[in-house]
Amino acid sequence: MSTDRAGAESVRTTVVLEFPGSGTSGRVRAMRLESLGFATRYLLDEFRPRATAIEEYAGQLFDRLADEDVGTIVSYCGATAIARHLAARYRRPPLLVALNPEHTVARGVADRLRGALAKIELPAETAARYDADADTVRDVVRRWLPDLEAAMAESYAGPPHNFGTVAGRLAGMQADWFAHLTAACDPDKLPAGPEELHMVARDHPCEPDCAAKHETIDVDRAEFFTASLTSDALASVLRS
């Protein structure tokens, strides 16, 4: 809460950064923060940048928020790296609360890209164009993302997938996902700082040298987002 010049309380916005996907049980939205009275904005539901540099990606998200009064940024998994850059753009940075944060590494992004190409069964000469390793994945995704999206859409529309009219939408979501991952593994990303809070499941510890403040919730990862212990702890932080 904040107080305006007339003395009335105004609700500050809680921005959630988690990449949209199927289901809710393992996700921030399972806690239904809006039903607890928080003004919640799931920013990546509204807009997903195609930038692959983390500063540009965070900058485009910042522009979408315009002059909104953001009090807290809640991030999940690899989106935390992007959330950190988004928070840093504010003169008075919002509190960053990272839920089960993870480090996105270039090697893992390259493996995901390779796996996606194998599933859509592109011709070998086409797939070779998009092949990447940890050292080249950022350049490959930045250069070839529009062509890759078109190739995926064409593959999804035909056999054996035959996804018809949704083929383009599926390809677009996957292209968004690769841009997101590539930005999150940018070597220029900021390190965790003592001003952010990491809320983690008991079986999801941060790296030993992580500089953030930590609160361990006494549940396993599988129950983390549906446990009342987690939602109660997060609600307490958001109300403080």
Side-chain angles (χ1 to χ4, degrees):
M1 294 283 188
S2 61
T3 304
D4 62 22
R5 290 181 180 178
E9 287 187 334
S10 60
V11 178
R12 304 187 73 190
T13 300
T14 295
V15 171
V16 175
L17 284 192
E18 74 171 350
F19 198 89
S22 60
T24 60
S25 61
R27 308 175 65 76
V28 177
R29 66 196 61 234
M31 291 187 282
R32 301 183 62 203
L33 297 176
E34 55 277 10
S35 72
L36 300 177
F38 300 107
T40 308
R41 191 165 171 183
Y42 294 89
L43 191 55
L44 294 177
D45 282 12
E46 304 172 22
F47 172 68
R48 292 179 292 278
R50 285 292 180 87
T52 55
I54 196 166
E55 266 298 311
E56 184 180 358
Y57 195 106
Q60 290 185 26
L61 293 177
F62 180 78
D63 291 343
R64 295 285 293 197
L65 293 168
D67 297 323
E68 189 149 4
D69 185 13
V70 177
T72 310
I73 301 173
V74 176
S75 65
Y76 169 52
C77 197
T80 297
I82 295 167
R84 196 171 289 135
H85 279 257
L86 175 59
R89 285 182 165 263
Y90 287 86
R91 184 177 303 172
R92 296 180 60 188
L95 172 65
L96 171 55
V97 182
L99 305 180
N100 280 355
E102 291 186 357
H103 295 292
T104 303
V105 296
R107 181 181 63 256
V109 178
D111 290 344
R112 284 177 181 266
L113 178 59
R114 192 172 296 112
L117 294 174
K119 287 181 181 178
I120 61 176
E121 300 177 356
L122 293 176
E125 62 273 15
T126 304
R129 176 184 298 171
Y130 311 126
D131 189 49
D133 56 27
D135 293 328
T136 62
V137 67
R138 289 179 296 275
D139 291 337
V140 168
V141 174
R142 184 184 69 249
R143 181 178 181 185
W144 294 112
L145 192 59
D147 289 343
L148 176 58
E149 180 182 4
M152 289 190 295
E154 182 177 358
S155 176
Y156 289 149
H161 307 288
N162 298 313
F163 289 146
T165 57
V166 301
R169 192 188 322 158
L170 291 172
M173 179 66 82
Q174 200 154 21
D176 290 343
W177 176 231
F178 285 130
H180 180 80
L181 290 175
T182 305
C185 79
D186 191 324
D188 292 331
K189 60 187 176 184
L190 298 168
E195 67 283 352
E196 59 191 72
L197 171 64
H198 292 186
M199 298 179 66
V200 296
R202 60 191 170 205
D203 58 344
H204 188 99
C206 284
E207 298 293 323
D209 60 349
C210 180
K213 298 183 290 288
H214 292 85
E215 182 173 351
T216 300
I217 309 300
D218 193 21
V219 296
D220 292 334
R221 278 177 291 182
E223 305 167 345
F224 185 76
F225 288 103
T226 55
S228 60
L229 283 174
T230 310
S231 55
D232 289 348
L234 180 57
S236 178
V237 170
L238 296 180
R239 290 192 178 107
S240 62

